[in-house]
Amino acid sequence: MSHSGDDSLSDAAEECYNAEFRSYPDDAWYNVRVLFAGNSGDKMRVKYDNFSDDYDNIFIADCFKSAYEVYDFIGRFHKASAQLQDPDCSMVVKGMRVCSSDSFGNDDVRFYDAIIDEMLHKKHSYVNGQEECECTFLISWLHGPNVGNIIDKGVVNICLLQGSEILPKLVSFIEIALKKIDKALCKSVSATSNDLVALHKDNKGSPIVKWKPSSLECIRQVSLFVVICSSFFCLSM
Ligand SMILES: [Zn+2]
């Protein structure tokens, strides 16, 4: 589904790195910008901040095999999260979902989602007039190599999520992918029930399939999710 080095994609639509993408290889969040190809918008390039073009991911709407893959793909994007500032630490409360950094040796810092398990407040200090938070945040990792583990973090390690609305340009790409899957499914449904059984068996081969209602029902739910999210985004503009 993804590979690098498609020169047909244009960089003309300059955008800043205002989104985050949860990469497939390590499941960590990265700052990215998203570019779309030509007028059809059925190809997209994900460019990683501070990484060379060699690390770009190319996604083609045609290549999604099921609505489940599309659903998973949508969940891998969100707006860039914001670093928690020292004076604002009281905004973080028990049970809140945040994004937090985890270190894996020299200069290898990766970001994963976590739930605040507990807050240990301390009186803030002031250095050169600047308020400094010395509170401790106990977090439980939601994904990544330490999923389920609880660890203590400082304010510098905590980022606030900024909503899960789908990027406006991503909506049209998703719609193209769903239409192509819908067409393929209609052909399958008009064939035999054995074809549908085979389709479900094929889906089991995908590492990112986690949810298995009926395929048509899934497409309806993903489509509804896209409509709701895009409507919400328009309202919040
Ligand atoms: Zn604090």
Side-chain angles (χ1 to χ4, degrees), residues 36-202:
F36 291 85
N39 295 324
S40 61
D42 62 348
K43 290 181 184 175
M44 61 179 282
R45 179 195 293 264
V46 174
K47 297 185 73 65
Y48 292 82
D49 195 11
N50 292 320
F51 288 86
S52 73
D53 292 350
D54 293 339
Y55 290 89
D56 289 359
N57 289 153
I58 307 295
F59 296 97
I60 300 169
D62 269 353
C63 294
F64 288 88
K65 293 183 178 64
S66 67
Y68 315 113
E69 282 192 5
V70 177
Y71 183 79
D72 178 88
F73 185 68
I74 292 170
R76 289 177 179 274
F77 289 91
H78 65 203
K79 285 183 178 177
S81 51
Q83 170 69 53
L84 178 62
Q85 301 300 308
D86 293 56
D88 300 330
C89 78
S90 59
M91 291 171 63
V92 175
V93 295
K94 183 174 180 175
M96 188 174 175
R97 186 179 184 125
V98 296
C99 188
S100 184
S101 59
D102 206 4
S103 295
F104 301 90
N106 292 342
D107 299 327
D108 188 0
V109 177
R110 304 184 193 207
F111 291 82
Y112 301 95
D113 286 348
I115 291 287
I116 298 293
D117 190 68
E118 200 61 75
M119 282 285 303
L120 306 174
H121 288 286
K122 274 189 182 175
K123 191 175 180 182
H124 288 188
S125 60
Y126 288 83
V127 178
N128 298 326
Q130 297 286 314
E131 185 173 349
E132 292 197 352
C133 170
E134 297 174 13
C135 304
T136 299
F137 304 77
L138 292 182
I139 65 163
S140 174
W141 295 111
L142 289 174
H143 61 106
N146 295 313
V147 61
N149 291 347
I150 294 178
I151 192 168
D152 61 300
K153 294 287 184 182
V155 65
V156 71
N157 304 115
I158 303 294
C159 294
L160 302 176
L161 303 181
Q162 302 296 301
S164 57
E165 309 94 70
I166 298 177
L167 303 170
K169 282 185 177 178
L170 187 58
V171 172
S172 58
F173 178 85
I174 295 296
E175 285 173 349
I176 293 169
L178 288 175
K179 275 180 192 165
K180 302 212 182 233
I181 293 167
D182 202 10
K183 262 188 187 174
L185 269 177
C186 285
K187 283 181 186 171
S188 297
V189 170
S190 64
T192 67
S193 58
N194 286 338
D195 290 331
L196 271 179
V197 171
L199 191 66
H200 281 284
K201 279 182 179 171
D202 285 343

